Amino acid sequence: METVWRVLFLLDYNTRLVVLSTIILGVASGLIGSFLLLRKRSLMGDALSHACLPGIGLAFLVMVMLGGSGKSLLGLLVGATITGVLGVGCVLLIRNLSRIKDDAAMGIVLSVFFGLGVAILGMVQTVPNVSAAGLEFFIYGKTASMLFSDFILLSGVGILVVLGSILLMKEFTLLCFDDGFARSLGWPVHRLDLIMLALVSAVTVVGLQAVGLILIIAFLIIPAAAARFWTDDLRTMLILAGAIGGLSGWLGSSVSALLPRLPAGSIIVLVAAAVFGFSLFFGRARGILRRFAAQLRLRRKVGRQHLLRGVYEILEHRQTTDPSHLVNEPVDFRELLAKRTWTLGHLRKLIKDADHEDHIDRFDGQSLRLSESGFGEAARTTRNHRLWEMYLISHADIAPSHVDRDADAVEHVLSPDMVRELEEKLGLQKIPVSPHSLEVAR
């Protein structure tokens, strides 16, 4: 219990360094990762992190040749930055000079640079009188080895990335959603793209020691992807992504401090993945459960409106009078069954749903009659359906005999403004006459 207390309140020096570093890294990764996700360049971060590996091995060799130990973190990160930027440049070069798409170019660069890095690290191990132990930690991450100087470096870069993301939010937003429009306004799209990739490179390189080059892409993308399920507002998404990244860093490094055999990088990614899984199902904006509920409501609405329109069209066919003087009479259950390809059970369910909405006045198992509100809703639904049919016939040149099914797919989502616009375009105020014959079973 005492250990938990000490980790929770950051009483130990090393734990304090590690937890604060991963929180700052998580916030910075969540912010810039959101733009990377919206720019549809998630794999770019992966290619960048893998391209850092050769630079780490080469920087080690250069520092040894200059008489050093080769273990200076700053020197290793400078080497990683150089080859990382070189890898991104290769991706852009392949994409711009050939017909190869982004994903293929990133796949090529990612695998080639990682293979080169593994080969260089293998060579480094054979250098006589030099210990290269610890370089492999950049592949999987080792936050426990973090020093105060590492914390200062990581914090400085993290704060720089956060400030850069906030100050350039408007420019990055336009770049992500409509770079063609930004180019037409004379904005330096390529320069903004490079600045965004530079910020991604910075957070990737300083994150190598914390989570490793294999897992840093998860730290960049998962918080942003999880935040996307909760909101459609970019500002809120950025705040949520930063919060999820910081929370993952705090929980992951704290659990790793309590259970030293578990590497912090893996636990951080697993915590972020757990948040992503929760968001995937329960997200307020795009979660699976919310979408499922919305689809269920829409399916019920469509079925109910088909039922009401079916009843109205049967009454309309039966009473050959002005639609404004139509009388709400009982409709036989068999007439409704013949109206559409409904099964008996499905029709009974539709009637039950309509009755729940107070659209059915009476149903005795043989016939039903609409309530006052149901009759009004049936007239409105039929009118919207006919207006859309008339619009398709007059403006889309669709044959009257084929327009019914097309109108069926759209009539349920017509807003009041769209209905008013249709009325103005067609010059119709009342319920129009059906443009095709009503097939009503007798």
Side-chain angles (χ1 to χ4, degrees), residues 34-241:
S34 297
F35 291 115
L36 198 64
L37 179 75
L38 295 173
R39 188 80 172 121
K40 297 183 174 59
R41 289 194 173 162
S42 302
L43 262 181
M44 185 65 88
D46 206 15
L48 173 63
S49 61
H50 283 73
C52 290
L53 190 58
I56 293 171
L58 290 173
F60 175 82
L61 287 175
V62 170
M63 286 188 286
V64 168
M65 290 171 63
L66 293 176
S69 66
K71 298 290 184 66
S72 166
L73 178 63
L74 183 61
L76 294 174
L77 294 184
V78 169
T81 304
I82 292 172
T83 53
V85 172
L86 185 63
V88 172
C90 288
V91 172
L92 297 176
L93 197 68
I94 293 172
R95 188 192 66 182
N96 294 334
L97 297 182
S98 70
R99 293 186 176 183
I100 294 176
K101 300 295 183 187
D102 271 2
D103 55 345
M106 286 182 242
I108 293 169
V109 170
L110 182 154
S111 53
V112 169
F113 272 76
F114 187 69
L116 180 63
V118 172
I120 291 175
L121 286 186
M123 291 171 56
V124 164
Q125 305 293 333
T126 62
V127 176
N129 302 323
V130 173
S131 171
L135 291 186
E136 69 277 9
F137 293 148
F138 286 95
I139 299 179
Y140 303 109
K142 188 173 176 59
T143 47
S145 62
M146 197 169 285
L147 304 175
F148 182 71
S149 57
D150 305 337
F151 168 74
I152 294 296
L153 177 64
L154 192 150
S155 302
V157 173
I159 292 170
L160 179 69
V161 171
V162 171
L163 288 177
S165 301
I166 294 173
L167 293 175
L168 293 172
M169 188 174 71
K170 184 178 70 175
E171 289 78 3
F172 285 171
T173 301
L174 189 56
L175 187 67
C176 291
F177 289 104
D178 198 341
D179 57 349
F181 181 63
R183 194 174 287 109
S184 70
L185 293 177
W187 286 30
V189 171
H190 290 299
R191 206 176 303 161
L192 287 171
D193 226 355
L194 288 176
I195 293 174
M196 184 189 294
L197 289 176
L199 294 178
V200 173
S201 304
V203 81
T204 301
V205 170
V206 297
L208 293 180
Q209 190 181 16
V211 292
L213 61 88
I214 292 178
L215 297 178
I216 186 65
I217 183 62
F219 217 11
L220 278 167
I221 300 304
I222 291 179
R228 193 77 179 92
F229 287 109
W230 292 98
T231 181
D232 291 322
D233 179 73
L234 179 63
R235 290 175 185 272
T236 310
M237 177 183 168
L238 291 174
I239 294 171
L240 282 175

Side-chain angles (χ1 to χ4, degrees), residues 105-384:
M106 286 182 242
I108 293 169
V109 170
L110 182 154
S111 53
V112 169
F113 272 76
F114 187 69
L116 180 63
V118 172
I120 291 175
L121 286 186
M123 291 171 56
V124 164
Q125 305 293 333
T126 62
V127 176
N129 302 323
V130 173
S131 171
L135 291 186
E136 69 277 9
F137 293 148
F138 286 95
I139 299 179
Y140 303 109
K142 188 173 176 59
T143 47
S145 62
M146 197 169 285
L147 304 175
F148 182 71
S149 57
D150 305 337
F151 168 74
I152 294 296
L153 177 64
L154 192 150
S155 302
V157 173
I159 292 170
L160 179 69
V161 171
V162 171
L163 288 177
S165 301
I166 294 173
L167 293 175
L168 293 172
M169 188 174 71
K170 184 178 70 175
E171 289 78 3
F172 285 171
T173 301
L174 189 56
L175 187 67
C176 291
F177 289 104
D178 198 341
D179 57 349
F181 181 63
R183 194 174 287 109
S184 70
L185 293 177
W187 286 30
V189 171
H190 290 299
R191 206 176 303 161
L192 287 171
D193 226 355
L194 288 176
I195 293 174
M196 184 189 294
L197 289 176
L199 294 178
V200 173
S201 304
V203 81
T204 301
V205 170
V206 297
L208 293 180
Q209 190 181 16
V211 292
L213 61 88
I214 292 178
L215 297 178
I216 186 65
I217 183 62
F219 217 11
L220 278 167
I221 300 304
I222 291 179
R228 193 77 179 92
F229 287 109
W230 292 98
T231 181
D232 291 322
D233 179 73
L234 179 63
R235 290 175 185 272
T236 310
M237 177 183 168
L238 291 174
I239 294 171
L240 282 175
I244 293 171
L247 176 71
S248 305
W250 173 60
L251 277 179
S253 53
S254 297
V255 171
S256 179
L258 291 171
L259 305 168
R261 289 190 176 182
L262 296 178
S266 306
I267 302 302
I268 289 172
V269 172
L270 288 177
V271 170
V275 177
F276 174 81
F278 182 80
S279 306
L280 176 67
F281 284 98
F282 302 103
R284 195 176 59 183
R286 295 169 177 247
I288 289 177
L289 292 181
R290 181 180 174 82
R291 287 175 57 193
F292 178 75
Q295 288 175 358
L296 191 62
R297 284 196 299 273
L298 178 62
R299 201 177 300 134
R300 283 180 177 171
K301 177 184 174 185
V302 169
R304 189 174 66 250
Q305 290 187 344
H306 282 166
L307 173 69
L308 295 176
R309 183 160 63 83
V311 173
Y312 192 88
E313 287 181 349
I314 290 172
L315 294 175
E316 197 178 42
H317 184 76
R318 185 188 296 169
Q319 306 168 28
T320 54
T321 60
D322 185 344
S324 60
H325 296 93
L326 210 61
V327 178
N328 183 14
E329 297 176 341
V331 172
D332 193 277
F333 194 69
R334 289 169 300 179
E335 287 182 284
L336 279 171
L337 267 180
K339 182 69 182 168
R340 284 179 169 267
T341 55
W342 288 325
T343 63
L344 185 62
H346 184 58
L347 179 56
R348 287 187 179 279
K349 186 175 183 307
L350 292 178
I351 293 173
K352 184 179 178 182
D353 289 343
D355 189 30
H356 183 70
E357 296 289 330
D358 198 24
H359 289 156
I360 303 296
D361 180 48
R362 179 172 59 83
F363 175 57
D364 57 9
Q366 298 299 321
S367 64
L368 65 85
R369 189 174 67 184
L370 298 179
S371 65
E372 185 177 346
S373 64
F375 190 74
E377 179 68 12
R380 189 190 67 80
T381 304
T382 305
R383 178 164 161 271
N384 290 354

